[in-house]
Amino acid sequence: GAGVSQSPRYKVTKRGQDVALRCDPISGHVSLYWYRQALGQGPEFLTYFNYEAQQDKSGLPNDRFSAERPEGSISTLTIQRTEQRDSAMYRCASSANPVAVRFRGYTFGSGTRLTVV
Amino acid sequence: GDSVTQMEGPVTLSEEAFLTINCTYTATGYPSLFWYVQYPGEGLQLLLKATKADDKGSNKGFEATYRKETTSFHLEKGSVQVSDSAVYFCALSEGEETSGSRLTFGEGTQLTVNP
């Protein structure tokens, strides 16, 4: 697509439920990134992919968080057994390739606002 | 590890005032530096960038100069408008070899411009 698309825009879930957040990057972009942004804070890195390969998942806070990008395009971030502390804006971004990042930065989607009640 | 420190907000200015938002960084190598902006209700947008020392990034009247000697990338605008009200984030990237192309962000500075 023309931009990075994330869905849903808003998600309210009960504590203990699993949630899946979707990211559709710019068509042809090799690299896809997930970030989490708490209220009043800057985005924090979670994980990233080149094509379908997960290159770095060091930012995932614990094993309840996982991500996949099985066909090298759309990615899903899954949070199992959600907790209130998981409430945040989850942002996806893409880049034409990993080298391009230091020259062009990322293109971000509008984010998914997750609220765990 | 890499880190970015921004001046604390919020910052409130009158229209046509001069703006400076300070940003300093810590990095192991020679990062690229960025300013992103988040307008109310919208996503993060790249405002400007600089990829090497002494480069000046500019866009929409905003400027920032990459100062290696002071490890800084301060954002400036000579005359702000109400429409500049937003949250501004400073960020760096050390590149794929060093940090796997991740961006490291500061905490953001809220700017409000009053008419």
Side-chain angles (χ1 to χ4, degrees):
Chain A
V4 179
S5 177
Q6 290 188 246
S7 61
R9 285 292 303 271
Y10 303 92
K11 177 69 177 179
V12 180
T13 190
K14 291 185 177 180
R15 185 164 52 92
Q17 297 293 306
D18 298 351
V19 295
L21 311 180
R22 173 188 163 118
C23 173
D24 192 353
I26 291 174
S27 179
H29 273 197
V30 167
S31 305
L32 183 149
Y33 308 84
W34 283 100
Y35 280 74
R36 179 170 69 173
Q37 186 176 5
L39 203 59
Q41 302 292 316
E44 290 185 314
F45 172 80
L46 293 176
T47 185
Y48 92 97
F49 295 82
N50 287 335
Y51 299 104
E52 72 282 357
Q54 191 170 19
Q55 300 293 320
D56 182 353
K57 56 181 181 179
S58 62
L60 296 176
N62 52 61
D63 60 8
R64 295 186 298 105
F65 287 73
S66 63
E68 62 175 8
R69 193 186 184 197
E71 297 179 359
S73 179
I74 293 169
S75 176
T76 302
L77 177 70
T78 301
I79 309 173
Q80 296 179 311
R81 305 181 303 281
T82 52
E83 301 177 5
Q84 285 190 321
R85 59 179 170 155
D86 300 332
S87 296
M89 176 72 82
Y90 288 83
R91 298 194 182 275
C92 176
S94 71
S95 173
N97 57 68
V99 175
V101 172
R102 70 172 295 144
F103 301 102
R104 300 181 214 155
Y106 304 151
T107 301
F108 279 90
S110 296
T112 295
R113 169 74 66 188
L114 175 66
T115 304
V116 182
V117 298
Chain B
D2 299 344
S3 67
V4 176
T5 303
Q6 291 183 231
M7 69 183 287
E8 290 188 19
V11 174
T12 302
L13 296 173
S14 298
E15 208 164 22
E16 300 183 3
F18 184 84
L19 168 70
T20 300
I21 300 178
N22 290 339
C23 171
T24 57
Y25 67 89
T26 302
T28 54
Y30 301 95
S32 293
L33 301 173
F34 305 86
W35 278 100
Y36 276 80
V37 59
Q38 183 179 354
Y39 297 105
E42 299 186 15
L44 286 162
Q45 302 174 24
L46 179 64
L47 180 60
L48 55 83
K49 64 185 186 321
T51 58
K52 61 183 187 299
D54 299 325
D55 269 2
K56 178 184 283 188
S58 60
N59 187 24
K60 299 181 180 180
F62 290 89
E63 293 183 339
T65 301
Y66 189 162
R67 301 287 189 200
K68 187 170 181 295
E69 64 276 13
T70 54
T71 61
S72 65
F73 193 54
H74 305 321
L75 183 67
E76 297 182 336
K77 186 174 186 182
S79 176
V80 293
Q81 305 300 312
V82 172
S83 58
D84 293 327
S85 298
V87 182
Y88 292 82
F89 293 93
C90 186
L92 69 81
S93 172
E94 290 226 61
E96 185 186 16
E97 301 80 18
T98 305
S99 61
S101 75
R102 71 167 70 179
L103 284 178
T104 300
F105 287 85
E107 294 193 349
T109 302
Q110 171 78 56
L111 170 67
T112 300
V113 180
N114 295 318

